[in-house]
Amino acid sequence: MTGPRSDLFTGGGDTGRLMAELDWARTPLGPVTGWPQSLRAAVRMVLSSRYPMLLLWGESLSQLYNDAYSALIGDKHPAALGDDVRVTLAEGWDVLAPLIEQATATGVASWVPALRLLLERAGYREEAYFSVSHAPVRDDDGRTVGVLTVCSEVTEQVVGERRLRLLRDLSVLGDGRTVEVHATGARLAEVIESQPLDVPFTAIYLRDGTLLRRVACTGGDQGYAGALPDTVELTDPDPDPVAGAWGLTDAAQGRATAVPDVADRLPLPGGPWGDPVRTALALPLPSGGEDQPLGVLLAGVSPSRGLDEAYRSFYQLLAQQISVALRNAQEYEQERRRVEALAELDRVKTDFFANVSHEFRTPLTLILGPLTDALADTSAPLAAVQRERVETSWRNATRLLTLVNSLLTFSSLEAGRARSDARVVDLAALTAELAGVFRAAVERAGLTLEVVCPPLPRPVSVDPVNWERIVTNLLSNALKYTFIGRIRVALEADDEEVRLTVADTGIGIAEPDLPKLFERFHRVRGARSRSHEGTGIGLALAYELARLEGGEVRVASRVGVGSTFTVALPWSAARRAAVSEPSPVGRGDAARATAQEAMGWLTEPGGDQTGPGDASGPAVDELAGARILIADDNADMRAYLSRLLTGQGWRVRAVTDGRQALDEVHRDRPDLVLTDVMMPVLDGFDLVRRLRADPATRSLPVLVLSARAGGQASVEGLTLGADDYLVKPFAAAELIARVRAGIRRARRHSAVAGTPPSAVEAAPARPDPRNAVAPPRTVAGGRDAPVLAQVPTHLSGLGDILDAGWTYPSTPTSAAAMRRDVRLTLGDLDVDPDVVEDLLLAASEAMNNAVEHAQRPTRPEVRVRLQVGGGLIRVSVRDFGTWRDRRPAMDRGRGALLMNAYGDVRLVSTAEGTTVTIERRLDDPA
């Protein structure tokens, strides 16, 4: 300073010290000693404040400011002290000048909350925002001689809010509503392009196999065609230099890359003042857990903002939002394709069912017609036995026709082709008539049928065929699940609607099952019913038909109390215009067929007992008088099986479910159990499981008879311990042969178990596990008897405990015989039951393959060898034919896959035959 030292700048911090050292005499303000008191007071106020303040004094607008303001102008400090503000802030003066001039001219202060200024305080033209106030400053005489500027920088706040707004707008696009991925990319580009200050340009690439494909871009089209590649081959041994220069290949591998010198390749303006974009970022788009990125985001960096940590974080969030939107669009598009594929599959399936069901009607007509004629023919009446057979055929053909009609109706509903041919009907009389068809069945079940159908106040127009199906399905359902009490059918009306109510006192429906009750094929698991038969579409059909008539079906139910189904038909739907065509014939046929089927559920639970009939089998049979227990919930099937088996001279008892069968077995043990699988109360598989768990019935032969075809069903039954599995439809001769074989095997094994070792020459040999090696012997059995083969001693330890073999005829029944022989032979050894069952399954498949696929065998037999020792158990199955590859149509879904799942399998095929060896460790039940 040139004048005396003053305490004016004391306490002003670093800026105050600089001001004290400044030669103010060389500035327009002159020496400090000459400053007026008003200027001194203003300087003291500025320096003592911790808020950014700038004092402009005099016509030269000389600058005096504090430490807080010096931080705002960056590298312009300290040269700005005492200098003209029009020079210091020349780049932003066009914005500041009007505000300062207004304050000096009017003497009125102003305030701007977010003033954008161009600053060059960090080596580049920076976009900055300030909240600023300009107030006039007066001298000692009260004249306005300067401006006091109070300001604070809000750049981070303004820019941050702007970026968050962009991210929020992008997040709205992440809801997946855009079906097509490219359309989503276009929408993303549109949103990003609305905020060019932070994102001057973008290019979005998606991975398409080994390609990166550009799906969207923003920032104008200047030079895009030549500067940015449309596609990038990621596996090319000679990478595209253009793609590499843009960092696309690195980003596609998950590495974020900064791209310099953008202006040399893509001259695009950016920022508020159109400066050229100099830098870009290539960022991987996250793929949501996959190893490789979804794609790449190439984004330009604003030339007016520094690429600091906050800017980089914003770009990471931007990439995530774009990725979420695109992933959702991809998933939505994939889901749409799946839905379309499922809809197409459903349409094809519906058409198939419709076509097949339609084709069924011709042969059914040719079956039912002659059967009806035969039953009604009085000129040549049928004998009693033949009439019974024909009536069984007629009932089941009628039932099949009902099922076909239901499938046709349902397929029409699914395809949207069903229609309602409304006719004016006496709905009360029609409903009462349909309910009356079920009266005999309901009363036979020990229930009470109440029908309350008073005349309605107005005529009703409905399709009588659809109404019959609705009433029939609801009544059939009520009868099926009601065991005590009553079924009530009521028809009533008010000013709003006509209501049909079918209420019962049955088992009821649990609350969680009610929403799914009208879904097709839905069944309440574990529900007690009179029969397990049915398609599972009855209630769904009633629901859809009610909707077709313009109404709806409601249900209310409590477990143990009963259920109430209500069909509500608004008067607006019930008064439609009726068609002029004549009414269809066959009114009530569907109801009568359904009621007739229901009668078959109502056989008394005590069991039907049938003695031997007239021998249609052999005149002399050692199995005469054998006792067979049948368990099946279909009355006609029980009658047919009973008639078939009693004709062989056997005594037959028949029950309707597995629980009754279990009680009958404990009351009077039969020689064989013949059981269906799908039955109420206790199904066939549960019956087998309980019989095998009881030591008293573990060896009781069980033959499973089921309509469930396929390898999985038979595997399940055999795994549980069933001796044989026969799929419906079957030949009567095959069933009889399997029953005979099962009884004979059981009797032979019983004889072996209760006979001294010296007397086993007449029975299939069971090797004594206590001997080191079972002695080789040959046994000549009966027609179904296996023959024990000559077995050499194994010298490596395998066979030290047990070495036995059998020879079986090459017939389908041999697999069951082999299972029983192996199971009984291993019964006295300490072998894990799971190992035994696994080997039996695999060996059964090997036996079946030997029977089915051995071509031109030199011997019509299959040999089985069982060896135990050295910690191993081995089963070998040998046939004597040439091997052929299985055609897919003949493979039942098990084969080599099943055998390998249960043991180590080796196959050796020669010109003399094929040997399959299945081996397991004794200590490995897994």
Side-chain angles (χ1 to χ4, degrees), residues 811-825:
T811 61
T813 59
S814 294
M818 180 274 297
R819 285 193 297 274
R820 180 175 293 276
D821 290 335
V822 172
R823 184 182 287 116
L824 289 174
T825 302

Side-chain angles (χ1 to χ4, degrees), residues 268-276 303-304:
L268 282 177
W273 300 285
D275 298 326
S304 303

Side-chain angles (χ1 to χ4, degrees), residues 94-418:
D94 57 336
V95 176
L96 293 173
L99 300 174
I100 293 174
E101 291 171 359
Q102 179 184 3
T104 56
T106 64
V108 178
S110 64
W111 178 76
V112 181
L115 182 68
R116 183 170 68 190
L117 286 178
L118 170 60
L119 293 181
E120 295 183 4
R121 56 181 177 177
Y124 64 92
R125 290 160 56 85
E126 182 181 355
E127 172 192 10
Y129 294 86
F130 297 89
S131 290
V132 59
S133 173
H134 294 89
V137 178
R138 294 175 175 83
D139 61 9
D140 296 344
D141 298 328
R143 293 179 296 114
T144 299
V145 293
V147 175
L148 178 62
T149 301
V150 181
C151 62
S152 63
E153 185 168 7
V154 292
T155 303
E156 295 301 327
Q157 177 183 346
V158 172
V159 173
E161 290 177 354
R162 187 174 68 204
R163 292 170 178 173
L164 284 177
R165 188 162 54 250
L166 173 59
L167 295 175
R168 183 201 63 202
D169 293 343
L170 289 174
S171 69
V172 175
L173 299 181
D175 57 6
R177 287 179 296 178
T178 299
V179 176
E180 205 266 328
V181 172
H182 285 272
T184 300
R187 292 177 61 190
L188 290 170
E190 182 181 352
V191 173
I192 294 172
E193 202 157 24
S194 67
Q195 298 286 352
L197 295 181
D198 292 303
V199 190
F201 79 90
T202 59
I204 302 173
Y205 289 83
L206 278 182
R207 186 182 290 271
D208 183 7
T210 62
L211 288 178
L212 276 183
R213 193 180 303 279
R214 195 176 73 201
V215 296
C217 58
T218 68
D221 57 357
Q222 301 93 325
Y224 264 67
L228 293 177
D230 292 330
T231 59
V232 178
E233 176 56 61
L234 299 176
T235 59
D236 193 341
D238 297 323
D240 183 359
V242 176
W246 283 107
L248 297 176
T249 52
D250 287 340
Q253 298 175 7
R255 298 187 297 270
T257 304
V259 183
D261 303 327
V262 172
D264 297 338
R265 292 189 292 272
L266 185 63
L268 282 177
W273 300 285
D275 298 326
V277 177
R278 294 180 292 272
T279 305
L281 291 177
L283 302 171
L285 294 176
S287 57
E290 297 181 5
D291 295 336
Q292 58 187 13
L294 179 71
V296 175
L297 169 66
L298 181 63
V301 177
S302 172
S304 303
R305 296 296 306 161
L307 188 57
D308 54 14
E309 189 62 31
Y311 206 171
R312 291 181 181 273
S313 297
F314 161 71
Y315 270 121
Q316 292 292 340
L317 293 174
L318 180 66
Q320 290 178 13
Q321 290 289 8
I322 292 173
S323 176
V324 168
L326 291 172
R327 287 205 312 270
N328 286 349
Q330 286 181 335
E331 292 170 2
Y332 191 94
E333 191 170 341
Q334 291 170 0
E335 183 63 23
R336 177 179 60 81
R337 292 188 184 129
R338 282 194 294 268
V339 170
E340 290 175 351
L342 289 174
E344 177 63 17
L345 180 63
D346 192 65
R347 185 192 64 78
V348 171
K349 179 189 65 178
T350 300
D351 289 345
F352 170 76
F353 276 121
N355 293 335
V356 169
S357 300
H358 187 271
E359 290 300 318
F360 278 162
R361 285 184 164 182
T362 298
L364 278 173
T365 301
L366 296 176
I367 292 172
L368 282 168
L371 290 176
T372 303
D373 294 342
L375 291 172
D377 192 347
T378 56
S379 61
L382 296 171
V385 174
Q386 297 300 329
R387 174 170 287 276
E388 182 181 357
R389 292 173 178 171
V390 172
E391 285 177 345
T392 300
S393 299
W394 179 85
R395 283 195 302 271
N396 285 275
T398 302
R399 181 183 175 220
L400 182 57
L401 179 60
T402 302
L403 293 174
V404 167
N405 288 335
S406 296
L407 284 174
L408 275 173
T409 302
F410 201 83
S411 63
S412 297
L413 289 167
E414 288 285 292
R417 294 193 295 262

Side-chain angles (χ1 to χ4, degrees), residues 691-710:
L691 289 175
R692 292 296 177 250
D694 187 350
T697 59
R698 186 169 295 159
S699 61
L700 178 64
V702 179
L703 195 159
V704 175
L705 189 65
S706 176
R708 291 177 59 183

Side-chain angles (χ1 to χ4, degrees), residues 58 66 69 165 329 690 727:
N66 57 11
Y69 181 83
R165 188 162 54 250
R690 297 194 185 192
V727 176

Side-chain angles (χ1 to χ4, degrees), residues 578-659:
V579 298
S580 58
E581 301 171 4
S583 298
V585 296
R587 171 169 159 173
D589 286 352
R592 282 187 287 273
T594 305
Q596 182 66 38
E597 178 185 351
M599 294 289 281
W601 307 337
L602 306 173
T603 301
E604 293 299 323
D608 302 329
Q609 299 191 14
T610 308
D614 296 334
S616 59
V620 179
D621 193 335
E622 78 279 12
L623 301 183
R627 294 166 299 174
I628 313 294
L629 177 62
I630 298 172
D632 198 302
D633 61 336
N634 184 285
D636 283 333
M637 182 58 70
R638 290 194 304 273
Y640 172 67
L641 292 174
S642 297
R643 185 169 61 250
L644 191 65
L645 299 178
T646 54
Q648 300 299 310
W650 300 331
R651 302 184 63 84
V652 177
R653 285 176 292 159
V655 295
T656 60
D657 60 63
R659 168 60 62 188

